[in-house]
Amino acid sequence: MSVVNKQGRSLAVLYGLLVGAEILFHQQYQHRWAKLALVVVIVGIVAFWRYLVKQKVIRIGLFGHPADPKLSRNERRFLYGLAFLFAPIFKLRPLSSQNVLLSLGLLLLVVFLSFMDERYFAKKQQD
């Protein structure tokens, strides 16, 4: 398996764990088991992140930012996608139109930032 595929799959799993933690965070007040599951998922995120950094699959630190020139395209997309974790659609409650519009706005922001990043690095490689 190539490094890019391994990195892409690892970041997808890490993002899935983060989405699960976000959903459990909003559910912890309705269900008692959600607090325990949230702790288990957070420990899993930290352990998986440390494993990926030790194996040199990813280079994202705790305070990583997309402007770091050493990051790959997948890592920059992952960092842009973290903004979508704050979308109110993950609350799993009856949604209002305002929540759906805010979630779509955050999704469009992630796509826009990723698109601008691709254009910047394509222009940089041409020069």
Side-chain angles (χ1 to χ4, degrees), residues 32-54:
R32 283 186 267 187
W33 60 267
K35 287 183 183 182
L36 178 63
L38 179 63
V39 170
V40 169
V41 169
I42 289 174
V43 168
I45 289 170
V46 171
F48 189 57
W49 194 307
R50 286 195 60 193
Y51 171 77
L52 292 176
V53 170
K54 277 187 175 183

PDB file of all heavy atoms in Angstrom, residues 32-54:
ATOM      1  N   ARG A  32     -26.729   7.850  29.907  1.00  0.00           N
ATOM      2  CA  ARG A  32     -25.632   7.660  30.863  1.00  0.00           C
ATOM      3  C   ARG A  32     -24.431   6.962  30.233  1.00  0.00           C
ATOM      4  O   ARG A  32     -23.299   7.254  30.558  1.00  0.00           O
ATOM      5  CB  ARG A  32     -26.116   6.838  32.060  1.00  0.00           C
ATOM      6  CG  ARG A  32     -26.936   7.653  33.025  1.00  0.00           C
ATOM      7  CD  ARG A  32     -27.230   6.818  34.209  1.00  0.00           C
ATOM      8  NE  ARG A  32     -28.530   6.189  33.950  1.00  0.00           N
ATOM      9  CZ  ARG A  32     -29.197   5.490  34.806  1.00  0.00           C
ATOM     10  NH1 ARG A  32     -28.701   5.263  35.995  1.00  0.00           N
ATOM     11  NH2 ARG A  32     -30.361   4.993  34.515  1.00  0.00           N
ATOM     12  N   TRP A  33     -24.681   6.046  29.347  1.00  0.00           N
ATOM     13  CA  TRP A  33     -23.594   5.294  28.741  1.00  0.00           C
ATOM     14  C   TRP A  33     -22.750   6.141  27.800  1.00  0.00           C
ATOM     15  O   TRP A  33     -21.626   5.782  27.473  1.00  0.00           O
ATOM     16  CB  TRP A  33     -24.134   4.076  27.999  1.00  0.00           C
ATOM     17  CG  TRP A  33     -25.098   4.437  26.903  1.00  0.00           C
ATOM     18  CD1 TRP A  33     -26.450   4.518  27.007  1.00  0.00           C
ATOM     19  CD2 TRP A  33     -24.782   4.796  25.564  1.00  0.00           C
ATOM     20  NE1 TRP A  33     -27.003   4.904  25.823  1.00  0.00           N
ATOM     21  CE2 TRP A  33     -25.994   5.088  24.914  1.00  0.00           C
ATOM     22  CE3 TRP A  33     -23.610   4.909  24.853  1.00  0.00           C
ATOM     23  CZ2 TRP A  33     -26.059   5.479  23.590  1.00  0.00           C
ATOM     24  CZ3 TRP A  33     -23.676   5.307  23.534  1.00  0.00           C
ATOM     25  CH2 TRP A  33     -24.887   5.580  22.910  1.00  0.00           C
ATOM     26  N   ALA A  34     -23.297   7.268  27.361  1.00  0.00           N
ATOM     27  CA  ALA A  34     -22.571   8.108  26.391  1.00  0.00           C
ATOM     28  C   ALA A  34     -21.300   8.706  27.003  1.00  0.00           C
ATOM     29  O   ALA A  34     -20.310   8.896  26.299  1.00  0.00           O
ATOM     30  CB  ALA A  34     -23.476   9.213  25.867  1.00  0.00           C
ATOM     31  N   LYS A  35     -21.316   8.987  28.306  1.00  0.00           N
ATOM     32  CA  LYS A  35     -20.110   9.538  28.942  1.00  0.00           C
ATOM     33  C   LYS A  35     -18.973   8.521  28.926  1.00  0.00           C
ATOM     34  O   LYS A  35     -17.834   8.864  28.607  1.00  0.00           O
ATOM     35  CB  LYS A  35     -20.403   9.959  30.378  1.00  0.00           C
ATOM     36  CG  LYS A  35     -21.234  11.196  30.479  1.00  0.00           C
ATOM     37  CD  LYS A  35     -21.443  11.608  31.916  1.00  0.00           C
ATOM     38  CE  LYS A  35     -22.352  12.817  31.948  1.00  0.00           C
ATOM     39  NZ  LYS A  35     -22.577  13.316  33.290  1.00  0.00           N
ATOM     40  N   LEU A  36     -19.282   7.280  29.249  1.00  0.00           N
ATOM     41  CA  LEU A  36     -18.264   6.234  29.222  1.00  0.00           C
ATOM     42  C   LEU A  36     -17.769   5.995  27.793  1.00  0.00           C
ATOM     43  O   LEU A  36     -16.559   5.880  27.560  1.00  0.00           O
ATOM     44  CB  LEU A  36     -18.824   4.933  29.814  1.00  0.00           C
ATOM     45  CG  LEU A  36     -17.885   3.740  29.798  1.00  0.00           C
ATOM     46  CD1 LEU A  36     -16.658   4.024  30.668  1.00  0.00           C
ATOM     47  CD2 LEU A  36     -18.604   2.505  30.257  1.00  0.00           C
ATOM     48  N   ALA A  37     -18.685   5.958  26.857  1.00  0.00           N
ATOM     49  CA  ALA A  37     -18.297   5.767  25.457  1.00  0.00           C
ATOM     50  C   ALA A  37     -17.460   6.945  24.956  1.00  0.00           C
ATOM     51  O   ALA A  37     -16.504   6.749  24.193  1.00  0.00           O
ATOM     52  CB  ALA A  37     -19.537   5.593  24.588  1.00  0.00           C
ATOM     53  N   LEU A  38     -17.775   8.153  25.402  1.00  0.00           N
ATOM     54  CA  LEU A  38     -17.004   9.332  25.005  1.00  0.00           C
ATOM     55  C   LEU A  38     -15.570   9.234  25.512  1.00  0.00           C
ATOM     56  O   LEU A  38     -14.620   9.514  24.773  1.00  0.00           O
ATOM     57  CB  LEU A  38     -17.672  10.605  25.526  1.00  0.00           C
ATOM     58  CG  LEU A  38     -16.971  11.919  25.212  1.00  0.00           C
ATOM     59  CD1 LEU A  38     -16.915  12.154  23.715  1.00  0.00           C
ATOM     60  CD2 LEU A  38     -17.682  13.072  25.904  1.00  0.00           C
ATOM     61  N   VAL A  39     -15.397   8.802  26.747  1.00  0.00           N
ATOM     62  CA  VAL A  39     -14.051   8.646  27.301  1.00  0.00           C
ATOM     63  C   VAL A  39     -13.274   7.585  26.525  1.00  0.00           C
ATOM     64  O   VAL A  39     -12.093   7.788  26.193  1.00  0.00           O
ATOM     65  CB  VAL A  39     -14.122   8.296  28.807  1.00  0.00           C
ATOM     66  CG1 VAL A  39     -12.774   7.889  29.344  1.00  0.00           C
ATOM     67  CG2 VAL A  39     -14.687   9.464  29.590  1.00  0.00           C
ATOM     68  N   VAL A  40     -13.917   6.474  26.199  1.00  0.00           N
ATOM     69  CA  VAL A  40     -13.256   5.409  25.445  1.00  0.00           C
ATOM     70  C   VAL A  40     -12.847   5.904  24.052  1.00  0.00           C
ATOM     71  O   VAL A  40     -11.730   5.641  23.590  1.00  0.00           O
ATOM     72  CB  VAL A  40     -14.172   4.170  25.345  1.00  0.00           C
ATOM     73  CG1 VAL A  40     -13.634   3.155  24.354  1.00  0.00           C
ATOM     74  CG2 VAL A  40     -14.353   3.543  26.716  1.00  0.00           C
ATOM     75  N   VAL A  41     -13.731   6.648  23.396  1.00  0.00           N
ATOM     76  CA  VAL A  41     -13.422   7.158  22.054  1.00  0.00           C
ATOM     77  C   VAL A  41     -12.284   8.171  22.114  1.00  0.00           C
ATOM     78  O   VAL A  41     -11.383   8.163  21.267  1.00  0.00           O
ATOM     79  CB  VAL A  41     -14.683   7.764  21.399  1.00  0.00           C
ATOM     80  CG1 VAL A  41     -14.342   8.534  20.145  1.00  0.00           C
ATOM     81  CG2 VAL A  41     -15.670   6.656  21.073  1.00  0.00           C
ATOM     82  N   ILE A  42     -12.270   9.048  23.114  1.00  0.00           N
ATOM     83  CA  ILE A  42     -11.197  10.037  23.230  1.00  0.00           C
ATOM     84  C   ILE A  42      -9.856   9.352  23.489  1.00  0.00           C
ATOM     85  O   ILE A  42      -8.835   9.718  22.898  1.00  0.00           O
ATOM     86  CB  ILE A  42     -11.531  11.080  24.315  1.00  0.00           C
ATOM     87  CG1 ILE A  42     -12.657  11.974  23.821  1.00  0.00           C
ATOM     88  CG2 ILE A  42     -10.311  11.916  24.685  1.00  0.00           C
ATOM     89  CD1 ILE A  42     -13.178  12.961  24.836  1.00  0.00           C
ATOM     90  N   VAL A  43      -9.845   8.340  24.332  1.00  0.00           N
ATOM     91  CA  VAL A  43      -8.610   7.579  24.563  1.00  0.00           C
ATOM     92  C   VAL A  43      -8.173   6.891  23.261  1.00  0.00           C
ATOM     93  O   VAL A  43      -6.978   6.873  22.927  1.00  0.00           O
ATOM     94  CB  VAL A  43      -8.801   6.556  25.705  1.00  0.00           C
ATOM     95  CG1 VAL A  43      -7.659   5.570  25.766  1.00  0.00           C
ATOM     96  CG2 VAL A  43      -8.950   7.287  27.030  1.00  0.00           C
ATOM     97  N   GLY A  44      -9.127   6.372  22.501  1.00  0.00           N
ATOM     98  CA  GLY A  44      -8.813   5.762  21.213  1.00  0.00           C
ATOM     99  C   GLY A  44      -8.245   6.770  20.219  1.00  0.00           C
ATOM    100  O   GLY A  44      -7.310   6.454  19.475  1.00  0.00           O
ATOM    101  N   ILE A  45      -8.781   7.971  20.206  1.00  0.00           N
ATOM    102  CA  ILE A  45      -8.275   9.021  19.311  1.00  0.00           C
ATOM    103  C   ILE A  45      -6.831   9.356  19.656  1.00  0.00           C
ATOM    104  O   ILE A  45      -5.963   9.428  18.776  1.00  0.00           O
ATOM    105  CB  ILE A  45      -9.161  10.282  19.386  1.00  0.00           C
ATOM    106  CG1 ILE A  45     -10.515  10.020  18.731  1.00  0.00           C
ATOM    107  CG2 ILE A  45      -8.475  11.479  18.725  1.00  0.00           C
ATOM    108  CD1 ILE A  45     -11.531  11.111  18.969  1.00  0.00           C
ATOM    109  N   VAL A  46      -6.559   9.562  20.938  1.00  0.00           N
ATOM    110  CA  VAL A  46      -5.203   9.917  21.368  1.00  0.00           C
ATOM    111  C   VAL A  46      -4.228   8.782  21.051  1.00  0.00           C
ATOM    112  O   VAL A  46      -3.127   9.022  20.531  1.00  0.00           O
ATOM    113  CB  VAL A  46      -5.186  10.274  22.870  1.00  0.00           C
ATOM    114  CG1 VAL A  46      -3.770  10.423  23.385  1.00  0.00           C
ATOM    115  CG2 VAL A  46      -5.977  11.542  23.119  1.00  0.00           C
ATOM    116  N   ALA A  47      -4.621   7.559  21.328  1.00  0.00           N
ATOM    117  CA  ALA A  47      -3.728   6.416  21.069  1.00  0.00           C
ATOM    118  C   ALA A  47      -3.476   6.254  19.572  1.00  0.00           C
ATOM    119  O   ALA A  47      -2.334   6.026  19.150  1.00  0.00           O
ATOM    120  CB  ALA A  47      -4.338   5.146  21.654  1.00  0.00           C
ATOM    121  N   PHE A  48      -4.516   6.376  18.766  1.00  0.00           N
ATOM    122  CA  PHE A  48      -4.361   6.216  17.318  1.00  0.00           C
ATOM    123  C   PHE A  48      -3.511   7.346  16.736  1.00  0.00           C
ATOM    124  O   PHE A  48      -2.664   7.124  15.875  1.00  0.00           O
ATOM    125  CB  PHE A  48      -5.737   6.163  16.648  1.00  0.00           C
ATOM    126  CG  PHE A  48      -5.704   5.795  15.204  1.00  0.00           C
ATOM    127  CD1 PHE A  48      -5.122   4.619  14.780  1.00  0.00           C
ATOM    128  CD2 PHE A  48      -6.259   6.640  14.250  1.00  0.00           C
ATOM    129  CE1 PHE A  48      -5.092   4.281  13.439  1.00  0.00           C
ATOM    130  CE2 PHE A  48      -6.229   6.313  12.912  1.00  0.00           C
ATOM    131  CZ  PHE A  48      -5.648   5.132  12.503  1.00  0.00           C
ATOM    132  N   TRP A  49      -3.737   8.571  17.214  1.00  0.00           N
ATOM    133  CA  TRP A  49      -2.958   9.716  16.746  1.00  0.00           C
ATOM    134  C   TRP A  49      -1.474   9.523  17.069  1.00  0.00           C
ATOM    135  O   TRP A  49      -0.612   9.740  16.223  1.00  0.00           O
ATOM    136  CB  TRP A  49      -3.475  10.990  17.401  1.00  0.00           C
ATOM    137  CG  TRP A  49      -2.994  12.260  16.777  1.00  0.00           C
ATOM    138  CD1 TRP A  49      -1.705  12.629  16.530  1.00  0.00           C
ATOM    139  CD2 TRP A  49      -3.787  13.327  16.315  1.00  0.00           C
ATOM    140  NE1 TRP A  49      -1.659  13.856  15.962  1.00  0.00           N
ATOM    141  CE2 TRP A  49      -2.919  14.316  15.820  1.00  0.00           C
ATOM    142  CE3 TRP A  49      -5.154  13.561  16.294  1.00  0.00           C
ATOM    143  CZ2 TRP A  49      -3.386  15.513  15.298  1.00  0.00           C
ATOM    144  CZ3 TRP A  49      -5.601  14.765  15.777  1.00  0.00           C
ATOM    145  CH2 TRP A  49      -4.735  15.711  15.286  1.00  0.00           C
ATOM    146  N   ARG A  50      -1.184   9.102  18.308  1.00  0.00           N
ATOM    147  CA  ARG A  50       0.217   8.870  18.696  1.00  0.00           C
ATOM    148  C   ARG A  50       0.843   7.768  17.855  1.00  0.00           C
ATOM    149  O   ARG A  50       2.008   7.858  17.466  1.00  0.00           O
ATOM    150  CB  ARG A  50       0.303   8.510  20.174  1.00  0.00           C
ATOM    151  CG  ARG A  50       0.084   9.716  21.075  1.00  0.00           C
ATOM    152  CD  ARG A  50       0.506   9.446  22.461  1.00  0.00           C
ATOM    153  NE  ARG A  50       1.938   9.113  22.467  1.00  0.00           N
ATOM    154  CZ  ARG A  50       2.557   8.583  23.488  1.00  0.00           C
ATOM    155  NH1 ARG A  50       1.890   8.323  24.585  1.00  0.00           N
ATOM    156  NH2 ARG A  50       3.828   8.315  23.445  1.00  0.00           N
ATOM    157  N   TYR A  51       0.083   6.713  17.586  1.00  0.00           N
ATOM    158  CA  TYR A  51       0.586   5.622  16.759  1.00  0.00           C
ATOM    159  C   TYR A  51       0.930   6.121  15.356  1.00  0.00           C
ATOM    160  O   TYR A  51       1.989   5.786  14.808  1.00  0.00           O
ATOM    161  CB  TYR A  51      -0.454   4.502  16.685  1.00  0.00           C
ATOM    162  CG  TYR A  51      -0.105   3.432  15.684  1.00  0.00           C
ATOM    163  CD1 TYR A  51       0.862   2.474  15.966  1.00  0.00           C
ATOM    164  CD2 TYR A  51      -0.741   3.390  14.444  1.00  0.00           C
ATOM    165  CE1 TYR A  51       1.186   1.500  15.037  1.00  0.00           C
ATOM    166  CE2 TYR A  51      -0.422   2.418  13.518  1.00  0.00           C
ATOM    167  CZ  TYR A  51       0.538   1.481  13.822  1.00  0.00           C
ATOM    168  OH  TYR A  51       0.867   0.528  12.900  1.00  0.00           O
ATOM    169  N   LEU A  52       0.040   6.931  14.775  1.00  0.00           N
ATOM    170  CA  LEU A  52       0.283   7.440  13.426  1.00  0.00           C
ATOM    171  C   LEU A  52       1.494   8.373  13.373  1.00  0.00           C
ATOM    172  O   LEU A  52       2.264   8.346  12.414  1.00  0.00           O
ATOM    173  CB  LEU A  52      -0.955   8.177  12.896  1.00  0.00           C
ATOM    174  CG  LEU A  52      -2.168   7.310  12.606  1.00  0.00           C
ATOM    175  CD1 LEU A  52      -3.346   8.175  12.192  1.00  0.00           C
ATOM    176  CD2 LEU A  52      -1.857   6.276  11.549  1.00  0.00           C
ATOM    177  N   VAL A  53       1.688   9.174  14.410  1.00  0.00           N
ATOM    178  CA  VAL A  53       2.846  10.069  14.448  1.00  0.00           C
ATOM    179  C   VAL A  53       4.129   9.262  14.642  1.00  0.00           C
ATOM    180  O   VAL A  53       5.146   9.532  13.993  1.00  0.00           O
ATOM    181  CB  VAL A  53       2.675  11.136  15.547  1.00  0.00           C
ATOM    182  CG1 VAL A  53       3.946  11.926  15.767  1.00  0.00           C
ATOM    183  CG2 VAL A  53       1.526  12.081  15.192  1.00  0.00           C
ATOM    184  N   LYS A  54       4.088   8.251  15.511  1.00  0.00           N
ATOM    185  CA  LYS A  54       5.282   7.420  15.733  1.00  0.00           C
ATOM    186  C   LYS A  54       5.669   6.638  14.484  1.00  0.00           C
ATOM    187  O   LYS A  54       6.849   6.452  14.208  1.00  0.00           O
ATOM    188  CB  LYS A  54       5.057   6.448  16.888  1.00  0.00           C
ATOM    189  CG  LYS A  54       5.294   7.054  18.233  1.00  0.00           C
ATOM    190  CD  LYS A  54       5.219   5.975  19.292  1.00  0.00           C
ATOM    191  CE  LYS A  54       5.586   6.555  20.639  1.00  0.00           C
ATOM    192  NZ  LYS A  54       5.581   5.520  21.672  1.00  0.00           N
TER     193      LYS A  54
END
